[in-house]
Amino acid sequence: MRIALVGDRSPGVRSHARIPLLVETLRERDGIALDPYWMPTDDVGGVDGFDGIWLVPGSPYRDEAGAVEAVRVARERRIPFLGTCAGFQHMLLEFGRNVCGLRVAHAENEPDADELLMTPLACSLAGHEGRVRLVPGTRIEQIVGASSTMESYICSYGLNEAYKETLAEGGMVFSGHADDGTARVAELPGHPFFLATLFQPELAGDGRRPHPVVAAFAAAVARHHRGRELASAR
């Protein structure tokens, strides 16, 4: 079961070091043998051939367009998708542009753009933990199994809340919020698995017990792989 880890791999990014440990833990604990393949954002050709796509942290990405393209492929081809930190930001960027028809930018990449979907947070969350309140009945709430969760962040950008209603009208569900009501989790109903978090679930604990979000993504990848095998056998 191959998963594409889309992001510009760097030894200086904590999540990039942690993710391989989580993959091995999933193999040993849950029997889900994922085969991770790192794809830089400036070379995402063939990403549609994977059983899952994880847009990992590490912005600014080398190629914003490549990151957005990986999200589009996952959304349109119904490939299980997980976005964390910058993955959350670029997932919303893709949805805003390609589904809602917005001409919007990311302030980290285009600070002088007229319409910014992703803007600097009032207070940087880099190195902080915060409570995330989960909307009852949503996928994230079912995955976590609780109404709230404490999570780790390494980010300085988030959704421009002025666009939240427009994205919601397009079908995006904001299923997790900080105490002040700002978006922390987004998901797309009707998709096999399409979920992104501004927090970084891959940094939870010491890596020996995958966060429920990571485990749920891995399970969705396994289901997708089995479905492809059944289809090819017919």
Side-chain angles (χ1 to χ4, degrees):
M1 294 175 287
R2 296 198 312 152
I3 62 169
L5 302 176
V6 179
D8 308 308
R9 193 174 189 181
S10 168
V13 179
R14 285 180 59 201
S15 64
H16 294 187
R18 176 62 67 82
I19 289 171
L21 299 177
L22 295 176
V23 169
E24 185 58 32
T25 299
L26 286 163
R27 183 192 306 270
E28 296 175 352
R29 191 193 74 163
D30 299 339
I32 300 177
L34 300 179
D35 180 14
Y37 183 86
W38 288 87
M39 300 187 75
T41 55
D42 57 359
D43 186 13
V44 298
V47 72
D48 58 338
F50 287 82
D51 296 301
I53 298 171
W54 185 345
L55 186 54
V56 302
S59 63
Y61 293 132
R62 191 179 304 155
D63 187 345
E64 178 192 276
V68 169
E69 173 64 8
V71 179
R72 184 194 65 78
V73 169
R75 180 177 56 79
E76 293 184 351
R77 300 291 182 89
R78 298 179 62 78
I79 300 170
F81 171 84
L82 175 63
T84 56
C85 196
F88 169 90
Q89 298 162 15
H90 287 73
M91 182 268 268
L92 294 181
L93 200 61
E94 189 278 332
F95 193 82
R97 289 173 177 172
N98 295 330
V99 176
C100 301
L102 302 174
R103 297 175 62 86
V104 288
H106 192 310
E108 187 173 33
N109 304 324
E110 299 179 66
D112 298 324
D114 292 334
E115 296 189 58
L116 293 171
L117 185 68
M118 310 309 302
T119 53
L121 296 166
C123 294
S124 173
L125 291 172
H128 291 272
E129 284 192 346
R131 179 167 56 178
V132 182
R133 298 181 181 275
L134 308 178
V135 176
T138 57
R139 185 187 292 268
I140 185 68
E141 191 260 351
Q142 293 169 356
I143 288 171
V144 173
S147 60
S148 67
T149 177
M150 289 294 295
E151 301 293 346
S152 299
Y153 295 88
I154 303 180
C155 63
S156 299
Y157 293 86
L159 174 66
N160 179 347
E161 295 287 316
Y163 287 98
K164 183 185 285 185
E165 184 176 347
T166 299
L167 297 179
E169 289 173 352
M172 186 63 65
V173 171
F174 292 96
S175 51
H177 303 86
D179 285 337
D180 64 1
T182 52
R184 295 290 183 264
V185 186
E187 58 187 69
L188 195 59
H191 191 284
F193 191 97
F194 195 89
L195 186 147
T197 66
L198 189 61
F199 61 83
Q200 293 187 234
E202 63 272 16
L203 297 182
D206 60 5
R208 291 182 293 182
R209 184 178 179 82
H211 189 287
V213 166
V214 176
F217 169 66
V221 171
R223 290 192 298 271
H224 182 76
H225 178 74
R226 289 193 297 270
R228 290 178 62 176
E229 283 189 327
L230 289 172
S232 63
R234 291 173 185 155

